[in-house]
Amino acid sequence: MTTGGEDPLSLLAVEHLLSPEEHEIARTVRRFVDTEVKPNLGGWWEEGHLPKEMAKSFGALGLLGMHLKGYGCAGTNAVSYGLACMELEAGDSGVRSFVSVQGSLAMFAIYRWGSEEQKSRWLPPMAAGETVGCFGLTEPDFGSDPSGMRTRARRDGSDWVLDGTKMWITNGSIADVAIVWARTDEGIRGFVVPTDTPGFSAPEITRKLSMRASVTSELVLDGVRLPADAVLPGVSSLRGPLACLDEARFGILFGALGAARDCLDAAIAYSSDRQVFGRPVAGYQLTQEKLADMALELQKGFLLALHLGRLKDEGKLQPRQVSLGKLNNVREALAIARTCRTILGANGITLEYPVMRHASNLESVLTYEGTSEVHTLVVGQALTGLNAFT
Ligand code: TGC
Ligand code: FAD
């Protein structure tokens, strides 16, 4: 909450652009984050984990696979999902990540590309948070260019056998089911892998300096044998995982604004109290210029997100537009977090305030789900028709 006056987003009266239902969803998630998440975050971040039990709380609120229809999912519109991501990330990017990976990556992969049997088996317990999912696309040597992946699935009779390694997988060590993308003779295919299958292991990646309230893991697949019906039947190319990424990137382009808003709230409150040279920091023109510029970027980012959300709800959102949104909103959120850190002075580097935690998390958000360079090249290609990736 701001103490200095007007809330940065209400300054532009953006609430008039939301329906009463969208408003209510945002308010409900904000209350949940304020009471159930924020009080614990410093501890989780310091200890470097996010308790798996939170999945059931997210599920009870209807946050998991929130914009999917049927199978126990809430079936909201895309804007509501975006707003929920924004409120979750005002808590911590790791918390939003959990919800993104579960709903937009693992559940969406099954929802979009799975058989009716796979959907009925997996989606209801995942929506409830009783079953946790992860999504394995990135490999140690192939992040931005997943087309080079080495993980391989070969047929053995009617079974499939998977070998390979995935890297940087959110929720990997706490997942009950992994969606694993692998090269096959028929193209790139997705597999639904119960994590208790022999040959599967998920060692946790430790010593992270970012996204600490989130579990990140390696997935090792050593002769993992799966029945024929473990493959997602709907796709056999990179379009499979990339379509899932579009969903998660959409959540992120709203989500990052939540982290930025939380930083700006903290900076306004802090600078209104903190006295330097006999006056509040907020009373100096240099500070007010920073605050005004950040509020502008936050509002512009929100209008962009809302516009993209409305396009998505009309079924018209294009992947290159998602790239525009992710590129702008994450880049600006990170710039806001860094500027807020300067306003808090030395206090800005501690866990007593959320600013450095958000700034550090946003470094990961800038990199995952397509780096800022990848999204720049997607936009460049849309503008010029020229592919500058290779
Ligand atoms: P390209 O040859 O252009 O296309 C291959 C096939 O994919 C289709 N396609 C898309 N489909 C849906 N959405 C998109 N955004 C798509 N982009 C391409 C395309 O139509 C084609 O389909 P088909 O049927 O003809 O085969 O692909 P490319 O290899 O040149 O790659 C393009 C590039 C570089 C943009 C892509 O590889 C990319 O986006 N790279 C970034 C990788 C990435 O974002 N990885 C994220 C991993 S998951 C993650 O980070 C989770 S963090 C989660 C959290 O904690 O919140
Ligand atoms: P690289 O691809 O090696 O890129 C290194 C640098 O080169 C970057 O700056 C990049 O932008 C630049 N670069 C690459 N290609 C080009 C080019 N053509 N032109 C110019 N510059 C280029 N992945 C999953 O599959 N599932 C997950 O759940 C998941 N969770 C993650 C959670 C965290 C906390 C993090 C940090 C990552 C996660 N990832 C996940 C991985 C993430 O998607 C990758 O890190 C990301 O796609 C970038 O890949 P890379 O790290 O291998 O970088």
Side-chain angles (χ1 to χ4, degrees), residues 292-328:
D293 283 347
M294 290 191 286
L296 268 175
E297 289 309 325
L298 186 62
Q299 291 160 5
K300 289 191 291 190
F302 187 79
L303 291 174
L304 173 60
L306 196 54
H307 170 63
L308 297 178
R310 297 288 179 227
L311 283 179
K312 185 165 170 58
D313 277 323
E314 287 175 27
K316 294 180 180 160
L317 186 62
Q318 299 295 319
R320 61 184 189 276
Q321 295 166 328
V322 177
S323 285
L324 275 176
K326 202 242 172 195
L327 175 62
N328 183 76

Short mmCIF file of all heavy atoms in Angstrom, two decimals, residues 292-328:
data_model
loop_
_atom_site.label_atom_id
_atom_site.label_comp_id
_atom_site.label_asym_id
_atom_site.label_seq_id
_atom_site.Cartn_x
_atom_site.Cartn_y
_atom_site.Cartn_z
N ALA A 292 7.74 9.24 -10.75
CA ALA A 292 6.80 9.54 -11.85
C ALA A 292 7.12 8.69 -13.08
O ALA A 292 6.22 8.12 -13.71
CB ALA A 292 6.87 11.03 -12.20
N ASP A 293 8.40 8.57 -13.41
CA ASP A 293 8.78 7.75 -14.58
C ASP A 293 8.39 6.30 -14.37
O ASP A 293 7.91 5.63 -15.30
CB ASP A 293 10.29 7.84 -14.83
CG ASP A 293 10.68 9.16 -15.49
OD1 ASP A 293 9.76 9.87 -15.97
OD2 ASP A 293 11.87 9.49 -15.52
N MET A 294 8.59 5.80 -13.16
CA MET A 294 8.26 4.39 -12.90
C MET A 294 6.75 4.18 -12.96
O MET A 294 6.28 3.18 -13.52
CB MET A 294 8.81 3.96 -11.54
CG MET A 294 10.32 3.87 -11.52
SD MET A 294 10.95 3.09 -10.04
CE MET A 294 10.73 4.35 -8.80
N ALA A 295 5.98 5.13 -12.40
CA ALA A 295 4.52 4.99 -12.45
C ALA A 295 4.04 5.00 -13.90
O ALA A 295 3.16 4.22 -14.29
CB ALA A 295 3.86 6.12 -11.66
N LEU A 296 4.67 5.84 -14.73
CA LEU A 296 4.31 5.88 -16.16
C LEU A 296 4.56 4.53 -16.83
O LEU A 296 3.69 4.01 -17.54
CB LEU A 296 5.19 6.91 -16.88
CG LEU A 296 4.69 8.33 -17.00
CD1 LEU A 296 5.76 9.21 -17.64
CD2 LEU A 296 3.42 8.35 -17.85
N GLU A 297 5.75 3.97 -16.60
CA GLU A 297 6.07 2.69 -17.24
C GLU A 297 5.14 1.58 -16.74
O GLU A 297 4.73 0.70 -17.51
CB GLU A 297 7.53 2.30 -17.00
CG GLU A 297 8.53 3.15 -17.77
CD GLU A 297 8.22 3.27 -19.26
OE1 GLU A 297 7.72 2.31 -19.86
OE2 GLU A 297 8.47 4.36 -19.82
N LEU A 298 4.82 1.63 -15.46
CA LEU A 298 3.91 0.62 -14.91
C LEU A 298 2.54 0.73 -15.57
O LEU A 298 1.94 -0.27 -15.98
CB LEU A 298 3.80 0.83 -13.39
CG LEU A 298 3.03 -0.20 -12.61
CD1 LEU A 298 3.69 -1.57 -12.73
CD2 LEU A 298 2.95 0.19 -11.13
N GLN A 299 2.05 1.95 -15.69
CA GLN A 299 0.73 2.13 -16.30
C GLN A 299 0.73 1.75 -17.77
O GLN A 299 -0.19 1.08 -18.26
CB GLN A 299 0.30 3.60 -16.15
CG GLN A 299 0.01 3.98 -14.72
CD GLN A 299 0.06 5.48 -14.50
OE1 GLN A 299 0.23 6.25 -15.43
NE2 GLN A 299 -0.09 5.89 -13.26
N LYS A 300 1.79 2.13 -18.49
CA LYS A 300 1.86 1.77 -19.91
C LYS A 300 1.91 0.25 -20.07
O LYS A 300 1.27 -0.32 -20.95
CB LYS A 300 3.09 2.42 -20.57
CG LYS A 300 2.94 3.94 -20.71
CD LYS A 300 4.02 4.55 -21.60
CE LYS A 300 5.40 4.54 -21.04
NZ LYS A 300 6.40 5.32 -21.76
N GLY A 301 2.69 -0.37 -19.19
CA GLY A 301 2.80 -1.83 -19.24
C GLY A 301 1.46 -2.48 -18.96
O GLY A 301 1.09 -3.48 -19.60
N PHE A 302 0.71 -1.90 -18.03
CA PHE A 302 -0.60 -2.48 -17.70
C PHE A 302 -1.56 -2.33 -18.88
O PHE A 302 -2.30 -3.26 -19.21
CB PHE A 302 -1.18 -1.82 -16.45
CG PHE A 302 -2.44 -2.49 -15.98
CD1 PHE A 302 -2.40 -3.66 -15.25
CD2 PHE A 302 -3.68 -1.96 -16.30
CE1 PHE A 302 -3.56 -4.31 -14.84
CE2 PHE A 302 -4.85 -2.60 -15.91
CZ PHE A 302 -4.78 -3.78 -15.16
N LEU A 303 -1.54 -1.17 -19.51
CA LEU A 303 -2.43 -0.97 -20.67
C LEU A 303 -2.07 -1.94 -21.79
O LEU A 303 -2.96 -2.48 -22.46
CB LEU A 303 -2.34 0.48 -21.15
CG LEU A 303 -2.95 1.51 -20.18
CD1 LEU A 303 -2.69 2.93 -20.68
CD2 LEU A 303 -4.44 1.28 -19.99
N LEU A 304 -0.77 -2.16 -21.98
CA LEU A 304 -0.33 -3.12 -23.00
C LEU A 304 -0.82 -4.52 -22.65
O LEU A 304 -1.39 -5.24 -23.49
CB LEU A 304 1.21 -3.09 -23.10
CG LEU A 304 1.87 -4.12 -23.99
CD1 LEU A 304 1.41 -4.01 -25.44
CD2 LEU A 304 3.41 -3.99 -23.93
N ALA A 305 -0.64 -4.90 -21.38
CA ALA A 305 -1.06 -6.24 -20.95
C ALA A 305 -2.57 -6.41 -21.13
O ALA A 305 -3.04 -7.44 -21.64
CB ALA A 305 -0.67 -6.46 -19.48
N LEU A 306 -3.30 -5.39 -20.74
CA LEU A 306 -4.76 -5.49 -20.83
C LEU A 306 -5.20 -5.60 -22.29
O LEU A 306 -6.08 -6.40 -22.63
CB LEU A 306 -5.37 -4.24 -20.17
CG LEU A 306 -6.84 -4.32 -19.82
CD1 LEU A 306 -7.15 -5.53 -18.95
CD2 LEU A 306 -7.26 -3.03 -19.11
N HIS A 307 -4.56 -4.83 -23.15
CA HIS A 307 -4.88 -4.90 -24.58
C HIS A 307 -4.62 -6.31 -25.10
O HIS A 307 -5.46 -6.90 -25.80
CB HIS A 307 -4.04 -3.87 -25.34
CG HIS A 307 -4.12 -4.01 -26.83
ND1 HIS A 307 -5.29 -3.85 -27.54
CD2 HIS A 307 -3.17 -4.34 -27.75
CE1 HIS A 307 -5.06 -4.07 -28.83
NE2 HIS A 307 -3.78 -4.37 -28.98
N LEU A 308 -3.47 -6.87 -24.75
CA LEU A 308 -3.14 -8.22 -25.22
C LEU A 308 -4.12 -9.24 -24.63
O LEU A 308 -4.52 -10.20 -25.29
CB LEU A 308 -1.70 -8.57 -24.87
CG LEU A 308 -0.63 -7.67 -25.53
CD1 LEU A 308 0.78 -8.08 -25.08
CD2 LEU A 308 -0.72 -7.72 -27.05
N GLY A 309 -4.51 -9.00 -23.39
CA GLY A 309 -5.47 -9.90 -22.74
C GLY A 309 -6.82 -9.86 -23.45
O GLY A 309 -7.45 -10.91 -23.66
N ARG A 310 -7.25 -8.67 -23.83
CA ARG A 310 -8.54 -8.57 -24.56
C ARG A 310 -8.43 -9.27 -25.91
O ARG A 310 -9.35 -9.95 -26.35
CB ARG A 310 -8.94 -7.10 -24.75
CG ARG A 310 -9.20 -6.34 -23.44
CD ARG A 310 -10.49 -6.78 -22.76
NE ARG A 310 -10.68 -6.05 -21.50
CZ ARG A 310 -11.02 -6.61 -20.35
NH1 ARG A 310 -11.20 -7.92 -20.26
NH2 ARG A 310 -11.17 -5.88 -19.27
N LEU A 311 -7.27 -9.11 -26.57
CA LEU A 311 -7.07 -9.83 -27.85
C LEU A 311 -7.14 -11.33 -27.63
O LEU A 311 -7.75 -12.07 -28.41
CB LEU A 311 -5.70 -9.48 -28.46
CG LEU A 311 -5.54 -8.13 -29.15
CD1 LEU A 311 -4.10 -7.97 -29.66
CD2 LEU A 311 -6.51 -7.99 -30.33
N LYS A 312 -6.52 -11.78 -26.54
CA LYS A 312 -6.52 -13.22 -26.27
C LYS A 312 -7.95 -13.72 -26.02
O LYS A 312 -8.33 -14.78 -26.51
CB LYS A 312 -5.61 -13.52 -25.06
CG LYS A 312 -5.44 -15.00 -24.75
CD LYS A 312 -4.28 -15.21 -23.82
CE LYS A 312 -4.19 -16.63 -23.27
NZ LYS A 312 -4.08 -17.67 -24.30
N ASP A 313 -8.71 -12.93 -25.28
CA ASP A 313 -10.09 -13.35 -25.03
C ASP A 313 -10.93 -13.38 -26.30
O ASP A 313 -11.93 -14.09 -26.36
CB ASP A 313 -10.72 -12.46 -23.95
CG ASP A 313 -10.33 -12.94 -22.55
OD1 ASP A 313 -10.25 -14.17 -22.36
OD2 ASP A 313 -10.08 -12.10 -21.67
N GLU A 314 -10.51 -12.61 -27.30
CA GLU A 314 -11.23 -12.65 -28.58
C GLU A 314 -10.64 -13.72 -29.51
O GLU A 314 -11.05 -13.84 -30.66
CB GLU A 314 -11.13 -11.29 -29.29
CG GLU A 314 -11.98 -10.22 -28.64
CD GLU A 314 -11.75 -8.85 -29.30
OE1 GLU A 314 -11.39 -8.80 -30.50
OE2 GLU A 314 -11.91 -7.84 -28.60
N GLY A 315 -9.62 -14.44 -29.02
CA GLY A 315 -9.00 -15.49 -29.85
C GLY A 315 -8.11 -14.92 -30.94
O GLY A 315 -7.84 -15.59 -31.94
N LYS A 316 -7.63 -13.67 -30.76
CA LYS A 316 -6.87 -13.04 -31.84
C LYS A 316 -5.41 -12.79 -31.49
O LYS A 316 -4.69 -12.16 -32.26
CB LYS A 316 -7.50 -11.68 -32.19
CG LYS A 316 -8.89 -11.80 -32.78
CD LYS A 316 -9.45 -10.42 -33.10
CE LYS A 316 -10.85 -10.53 -33.69
NZ LYS A 316 -11.58 -9.26 -33.58
N LEU A 317 -4.97 -13.22 -30.32
CA LEU A 317 -3.60 -12.89 -29.89
C LEU A 317 -2.57 -13.73 -30.66
O LEU A 317 -2.67 -14.95 -30.73
CB LEU A 317 -3.46 -13.14 -28.38
CG LEU A 317 -2.14 -12.72 -27.75
CD1 LEU A 317 -1.92 -11.21 -27.88
CD2 LEU A 317 -2.10 -13.12 -26.27
N GLN A 318 -1.58 -13.05 -31.24
CA GLN A 318 -0.53 -13.71 -32.02
C GLN A 318 0.73 -13.88 -31.17
O GLN A 318 1.03 -13.00 -30.35
CB GLN A 318 -0.16 -12.84 -33.23
CG GLN A 318 -1.30 -12.59 -34.19
CD GLN A 318 -1.77 -13.88 -34.85
OE1 GLN A 318 -0.94 -14.72 -35.23
NE2 GLN A 318 -3.07 -14.06 -34.96
N PRO A 319 1.50 -14.96 -31.40
CA PRO A 319 2.74 -15.15 -30.62
C PRO A 319 3.66 -13.94 -30.64
O PRO A 319 4.27 -13.58 -29.64
CB PRO A 319 3.38 -16.37 -31.29
CG PRO A 319 2.23 -17.15 -31.83
CD PRO A 319 1.20 -16.14 -32.26
N ARG A 320 3.77 -13.26 -31.79
CA ARG A 320 4.70 -12.11 -31.84
C ARG A 320 4.21 -10.96 -30.95
O ARG A 320 5.01 -10.16 -30.47
CB ARG A 320 4.92 -11.65 -33.28
CG ARG A 320 3.67 -11.19 -33.98
CD ARG A 320 3.98 -10.86 -35.44
NE ARG A 320 2.86 -10.24 -36.10
CZ ARG A 320 1.85 -10.89 -36.65
NH1 ARG A 320 1.82 -12.20 -36.60
NH2 ARG A 320 0.86 -10.25 -37.23
N GLN A 321 2.90 -10.89 -30.73
CA GLN A 321 2.38 -9.86 -29.82
C GLN A 321 2.69 -10.23 -28.37
O GLN A 321 2.96 -9.36 -27.54
CB GLN A 321 0.86 -9.70 -30.04
CG GLN A 321 0.54 -9.18 -31.43
CD GLN A 321 -0.92 -9.32 -31.81
OE1 GLN A 321 -1.60 -10.26 -31.40
NE2 GLN A 321 -1.42 -8.38 -32.60
N VAL A 322 2.66 -11.53 -28.08
CA VAL A 322 3.06 -11.99 -26.74
C VAL A 322 4.52 -11.63 -26.51
O VAL A 322 4.92 -11.18 -25.42
CB VAL A 322 2.83 -13.51 -26.59
CG1 VAL A 322 3.32 -14.01 -25.25
CG2 VAL A 322 1.36 -13.85 -26.79
N SER A 323 5.35 -11.78 -27.56
CA SER A 323 6.77 -11.41 -27.44
C SER A 323 6.92 -9.92 -27.12
O SER A 323 7.74 -9.55 -26.27
CB SER A 323 7.52 -11.74 -28.73
OG SER A 323 7.73 -13.12 -28.83
N LEU A 324 6.14 -9.08 -27.80
CA LEU A 324 6.19 -7.63 -27.52
C LEU A 324 5.91 -7.37 -26.04
O LEU A 324 6.60 -6.60 -25.38
CB LEU A 324 5.08 -6.91 -28.30
CG LEU A 324 5.31 -6.48 -29.73
CD1 LEU A 324 4.02 -5.87 -30.30
CD2 LEU A 324 6.41 -5.42 -29.79
N GLY A 325 4.87 -8.02 -25.55
CA GLY A 325 4.45 -7.80 -24.16
C GLY A 325 5.46 -8.31 -23.16
O GLY A 325 5.80 -7.64 -22.19
N LYS A 326 5.98 -9.51 -23.41
CA LYS A 326 6.95 -10.08 -22.45
C LYS A 326 8.21 -9.24 -22.46
O LYS A 326 8.78 -8.90 -21.41
CB LYS A 326 7.25 -11.54 -22.79
CG LYS A 326 7.79 -12.33 -21.59
CD LYS A 326 9.16 -12.88 -21.77
CE LYS A 326 9.72 -13.47 -20.49
NZ LYS A 326 11.18 -13.68 -20.54
N LEU A 327 8.66 -8.87 -23.66
CA LEU A 327 9.88 -8.07 -23.78
C LEU A 327 9.74 -6.75 -23.02
O LEU A 327 10.58 -6.40 -22.19
CB LEU A 327 10.16 -7.79 -25.26
CG LEU A 327 11.34 -6.88 -25.58
CD1 LEU A 327 12.63 -7.48 -25.07
CD2 LEU A 327 11.44 -6.64 -27.10
N ASN A 328 8.68 -6.04 -23.29
CA ASN A 328 8.53 -4.72 -22.66
C ASN A 328 8.30 -4.82 -21.16
O ASN A 328 8.98 -4.16 -20.37
CB ASN A 328 7.35 -3.96 -23.29
CG ASN A 328 7.23 -2.57 -22.69
OD1 ASN A 328 8.01 -1.68 -23.03
ND2 ASN A 328 6.30 -2.37 -21.77
#
